[in-house]
Amino acid sequence: MVEKWLVALQVILAAIGVYQFTLSLFGIYRKKNHKQFEPKKTFAVLVAAHNEEAVIDALMENLKTVDYPKDMYDVFVICDNCTDNTAEIVREHGWTACERHNPHQRGKGYAIEWMLKKLWEMPRQFDAVVMLDADNLVSPDFLREMNNDLCSGARVIQGYIDTKNPHDSWITAAYGVTYWYCNRLWQLSRTNLKMANFLGGTGMCFENQLLKDMGWGATSLVEDLEFTVRCVKNGVNPVFNYKARVYDEKPLTFKASARQRLRWMQGHFTVARRYFFPLLWQSLKERNLAKFDTALYTITVYTVLVTFLLTGYMWVDAALFNGPNFPTLYEYLPTWLAVVSVVATCAAFILALVLEGVKSWRVYASLITFPIFLLSWWPITFYAFFTQNNKVWSHTEHTRVVRLDEVHGKQVS
């Protein structure tokens, strides 16, 4: 019986892998025609900040240079439990600093929920809400692209999340490779197939009325994934805007990266428990591929965990007990197919870099250490499983001040 379960798990994991790889191929093609509209929508730009005096100045300057009528957007910085000069810096730039002090409900999800209530009480009401992080920078056409999608009927939009510091360390380079891959072969593929895209925590835009109707309600450690699932359950598929770039600062060290990814995995377990089965059942009843795909994505954290446990079991069995002592898929697959699958997986990341026009030799050189970054997800996810009830927000400290012209210059160096 145990052997049958082990084989079944291997078959399920292999099927999920083939499914995801097949979908990624639809991201190779990119349509270049994108309907343009004159500025029509007004935007409230919300920036979540906790003790961000080191980096907030660059974003405040950046938002002044956005190519959009200045009377059609305003910036509100949520100074969440700040004890530094973040609010003062924001006000010096002429933007609105909204100070929140609540030591019992800490975290980005609670801060956004609080800010939205304040926003809806203001005399001026906006057509849409954009959400950014304090360490971000946006491309000059960001709001114009959001306007284009809103005018085309979209209600929830995710911009292209890029990395503003890929050359700072091998960790930031690994993040860069991951995000270029996800944008091109994960998000764009689903756009081309007219499926639901996934929110990434920043560079997001929401129709204001949708937020009022649904409420925010996403207060888990991964509020972006939680709100994505709630949207899809309600028949609203988030869309991906390839041209609207938001540049995000990534942790410099492995320790800081592991802490951030641990929080993500803890939150993913929460969302998976809460939404997987209801969304899966709904997708089957409605025969809705977008809902099925989203449900499958919510349990990615479990596929990583099970893959880790199975691989570890196989290694121990082979090393200590002269294994394998249980059936494995490798016994039934020809050797050439196993080799092709490994090569194809590695080639997908290189393909994504080429398709995205990455020219930096340092990024390609970072592929040598990239497998270490990928494998480190295994123990992080394993530990997250046993600490998934943790609700304490772990803040990532941002200290790297980068301007937009520096980002563009370094992407080709």
Side-chain angles (χ1 to χ4, degrees):
M1 180 62 71
V2 173
E3 291 185 354
K4 290 181 179 180
W5 275 106
L6 290 174
V7 171
L9 283 175
Q10 293 176 69
V11 171
I12 292 171
L13 291 174
I16 292 174
V18 171
Y19 169 79
Q20 298 291 7
F21 180 78
T22 303
L23 254 63
S24 72
L25 299 178
F26 289 88
I28 295 175
Y29 171 70
R30 179 170 72 89
K31 293 190 296 184
K32 296 186 178 180
N33 294 329
H34 190 62
K35 192 170 183 180
Q36 303 292 311
F37 294 85
E38 289 299 315
K40 178 182 177 183
K41 304 297 183 178
T42 57
F43 295 92
V45 181
L46 306 189
V47 180
H50 171 69
N51 289 344
E52 301 287 8
E53 64 179 5
V55 296
I56 196 68
D57 182 73
L59 176 59
M60 296 299 98
E61 288 182 8
N62 172 238
L63 290 174
K64 291 179 181 178
T65 65
V66 172
D67 181 22
Y68 204 72
K70 298 299 181 281
D71 62 339
M72 297 185 70
Y73 73 96
D74 204 350
V75 177
F76 303 88
V77 178
I78 314 166
C79 303
D80 186 38
N81 292 294
C82 288
T83 57
D84 64 356
N85 296 319
T86 299
E88 288 76 6
I89 295 172
V90 171
R91 294 182 181 117
E92 287 174 3
H93 283 276
W95 301 121
T96 304
C98 300
E99 299 186 69
R100 173 182 181 266
H101 299 282
N102 188 332
H104 304 293
Q105 292 184 326
R106 305 176 67 89
K108 186 176 173 183
Y110 288 112
I112 290 173
E113 192 165 52
W114 174 84
M115 185 65 229
L116 287 174
K117 291 178 181 177
K118 290 184 66 70
L119 189 69
W120 295 331
E121 293 171 357
M122 295 179 183
R124 183 184 184 185
Q125 294 296 294
F126 298 86
D127 295 315
V129 174
V130 168
M131 296 184 189
L132 302 172
D133 287 339
D135 60 296
N136 293 163
L137 299 170
V138 299
S139 58
D141 61 349
F142 187 87
L143 291 183
R144 283 190 175 271
E145 287 299 324
M146 296 295 115
N147 176 75
N148 289 337
D149 279 345
L150 288 168
C151 291
S152 297
R155 306 187 72 189
V156 180
I157 309 157
Q158 174 61 57
Y160 184 116
I161 303 179
D162 209 335
T163 309
K164 73 179 185 182
N165 60 330
H167 301 322
D168 282 356
S169 70
W170 72 276
I171 286 292
T172 61
Y175 273 105
V177 172
T178 302
Y179 274 78
W180 284 315
Y181 169 83
C182 289
N183 281 308
R184 188 59 187 247
L185 299 182
W186 192 283
Q187 295 279 49
L188 189 59
S189 61
R190 284 163 173 78
T191 297
N192 289 338
L193 292 170
K194 301 187 185 305
M195 296 167 65
N197 287 103
F198 303 101
L199 298 174
T202 189
M204 307 177 291
C205 179
F206 307 87
E207 182 191 71
N208 195 31
Q209 190 58 50
L210 174 79
L211 288 174
K212 288 183 177 181
D213 293 341
M214 286 183 56
W216 178 245
T219 55
S220 69
L221 295 179
V222 285
E223 75 291 331
D224 47 359
L225 175 60
E226 187 176 3
F227 198 80
T228 298
V229 176
R230 289 183 59 216
C231 284
V232 175
K233 276 179 60 65
N234 285 280
V236 179
N237 290 348
V239 304
F240 174 60
N241 190 304
Y242 182 89
K243 295 182 66 178
R245 303 291 171 111
V246 56
Y247 300 92
D248 191 41
E249 180 187 329
K250 296 306 174 188
L252 300 178
T253 66
F254 181 83
K255 181 179 180 180
S257 166
R259 187 165 53 244
Q260 181 186 66
R261 289 184 285 154
L262 175 63
R263 170 168 56 83
W264 290 348
M265 294 298 97
Q266 288 168 336
H268 272 243
F269 276 116
T270 300
V271 172
R273 289 198 317 268
R274 189 178 301 171
Y275 293 104
F276 171 67
F277 284 110
L279 188 57
L280 177 65
W281 177 242
Q282 190 178 7
S283 72
L284 296 176
K285 285 199 302 182
E286 300 176 8
R287 298 181 182 179
N288 189 307
L289 181 58
K291 291 184 178 181
F292 175 81
D293 182 65
T294 304
L296 195 63
Y297 178 70
T298 65
I299 59 165
T300 298
V301 66
Y302 281 102
T303 62
V304 174
L305 176 63
V306 173
T307 301
F308 173 53
L309 295 176
L310 270 177
T311 304
Y313 182 64
M314 291 171 61
W315 286 348
V316 171
D317 184 45
L320 301 181
F321 303 102
N322 197 31
N325 294 301
F326 65 93
T328 67
L329 288 186
Y330 298 106
E331 299 176 24
Y332 304 99
L333 296 177
T335 303
W336 66 266
L337 185 57
V339 173
V340 167
S341 65
V342 173
V343 172
T345 301
C346 297
F349 289 98
I350 300 175
L351 175 63
L353 297 181
V354 173
L355 291 173
E356 292 304 271
V358 177
K359 300 177 182 178
S360 171
W361 66 268
R362 284 183 287 182
V363 171
Y364 287 94
S366 73
L367 293 173
I368 297 173
T369 55
F370 186 61
I372 300 174
F373 179 81
L374 291 181
L375 289 175
S376 69
W377 282 100
W378 285 359
I380 289 172
T381 304
F382 181 75
Y383 183 67
F385 176 76
F386 293 100
T387 58
Q388 59 185 279
N389 291 323
N390 171 55
K391 306 299 180 184
V392 179
W393 179 267
S394 175
H395 175 247
T396 302
E397 184 178 359
H398 301 114
T399 58
R400 186 76 163 87
V401 181
V402 181
R403 301 305 199 252
L404 195 59
D405 56 346
E406 296 178 72
V407 174
H408 291 157
K410 290 184 178 183
Q411 285 183 335
V412 297
S413 63

